[in-house]
Amino acid sequence: MDVLCVENLHAGYGPIEVLKGISLVVRQGEIVTIIGANGAGKTTTLMCISGIVRAREGSIVFQGRQIENLPAHQVVRLGICQSPEGRKIFPRLTVQENLEMGGYAVASPAAVKSGIERAFELFPILKDRRNQAGGTLSGGEQQMLAVARAMMGQPKLLLLDEPSLGLAPLIVVKIFEAIRKLNAEGIAVLLVEQNARMALKLAHRGYVMETGSIVMSDKAEVLLNDQRVKDAYLGK
């Protein structure tokens, strides 16, 4: 079953068109990754799905419902939650308060409490830092907090924008292990990631984006072994 279906999506900023008619699908139980160079339109794609950037043309269908004209707060309530590029945690709030903010759309206090407990199970270091200001955490800890905060919204679709950016390799492994765990629990994931090799090893399927267009799509293992992808994104 398709959780998300994007068709012929156009979007941009002012006179600049960034997305030029992209189409993609995320199915139930999948991790789907979008790889591509800086400026290809990957983040704009996620921002459109989240309702932060308005689509100029095309459709975004989530669980059978058209959402391209919905404001961001309504998109979150439907079950699409995003961990943004650059983490964008609340630096003056504690870890606990950041998580509580992530659960603002959750009606039940018990569900918020359960979500925080789940976050601490997923990232035990956050439990140790629960009363520490977010801005004083290490980069890796802040990324864990950003993912955990997104999970507080009880997502059916989790959007992750560059979760490995600027992190040490060991921390990246931990973040990707957490993504795999969340997906195993039934959460569909759309992952934007410049570490193309790790993303394709994690994902079920992938899309390659260049200058606002999808130029390739296939099973992740096929893309991982495609010579064109190797030459452009994987290196030696």
Side-chain angles (χ1 to χ4, degrees):
M1 183 182 76
D2 293 349
V3 175
L4 178 76
C5 183
V6 175
E7 291 188 357
N8 192 36
L9 185 64
H10 292 254
Y13 308 94
I16 301 172
E17 185 177 43
V18 177
L19 302 182
K20 304 169 183 176
I22 69 164
S23 298
L24 61 87
V25 171
V26 180
R27 302 185 182 99
Q28 186 66 47
E30 280 191 323
I31 299 175
V32 174
T33 188
I34 305 173
I35 63 172
N38 278 337
K42 305 185 302 297
T43 292
T44 301
T45 300
L46 296 191
M47 299 293 249
C48 279
I49 295 167
S50 294
I52 298 169
V53 172
R54 183 66 63 209
R56 295 176 174 176
E57 185 180 335
S59 66
I60 305 171
V61 178
F62 175 64
Q63 294 188 322
R65 177 174 177 175
Q66 299 273 155
I67 66 168
E68 66 271 9
N69 293 318
L70 293 183
H73 68 277
Q74 290 186 22
V75 173
V76 169
R77 292 182 189 279
L78 290 177
I80 298 178
C81 299
Q82 181 172 349
S83 174
E85 182 181 8
R87 299 138 201 172
K88 294 182 173 62
I89 62 165
F90 300 103
R92 295 184 180 181
L93 300 186
T94 66
V95 167
Q96 174 98 15
E97 290 166 339
N98 267 273
L99 294 173
E100 289 170 351
M101 288 293 289
Y104 81 94
V106 178
S108 165
V112 172
K113 182 180 178 181
S114 176
I116 292 173
E117 290 172 354
R118 178 68 185 104
F120 291 159
E121 288 175 7
L122 196 64
F123 300 115
I125 190 66
L126 295 183
K127 185 174 184 178
D128 296 337
R129 305 279 194 269
R130 68 188 306 163
N131 296 315
Q132 188 171 325
T136 66
L137 301 178
S138 70
E141 291 164 353
Q142 288 187 21
Q143 185 61 66
M144 293 175 189
L145 179 56
V147 174
R149 185 182 59 186
M151 288 303 303
M152 289 296 299
Q154 299 179 331
K156 301 177 180 70
L157 174 64
L158 180 62
L159 308 179
L160 299 172
D161 195 352
E162 302 288 3
S164 76
L165 187 64
L167 302 184
L170 183 60
I171 300 299
V172 174
V173 169
K174 290 183 179 179
I175 296 289
F176 275 56
E177 285 176 350
I179 296 169
R180 186 177 283 109
K181 282 183 182 178
L182 294 170
N183 177 247
E185 294 173 4
I187 299 170
V189 177
L190 181 56
L191 168 68
V192 160
E193 180 57 60
Q194 281 204 313
N195 189 333
R197 188 181 303 278
M198 286 197 71
L200 291 171
K201 286 182 177 180
L202 177 70
H204 299 95
R205 292 187 303 108
Y207 293 87
V208 180
M209 182 175 281
E210 292 180 2
T211 59
S213 300
I214 300 292
V215 297
M216 293 179 67
S217 64
D218 212 320
K219 293 180 179 179
E221 61 187 51
V222 174
L223 293 176
L224 193 59
N225 292 293
D226 188 285
Q227 192 60 48
R228 293 166 295 176
V229 175
K230 287 182 178 181
D231 292 342
Y233 303 108
L234 303 183
K236 296 181 179 179

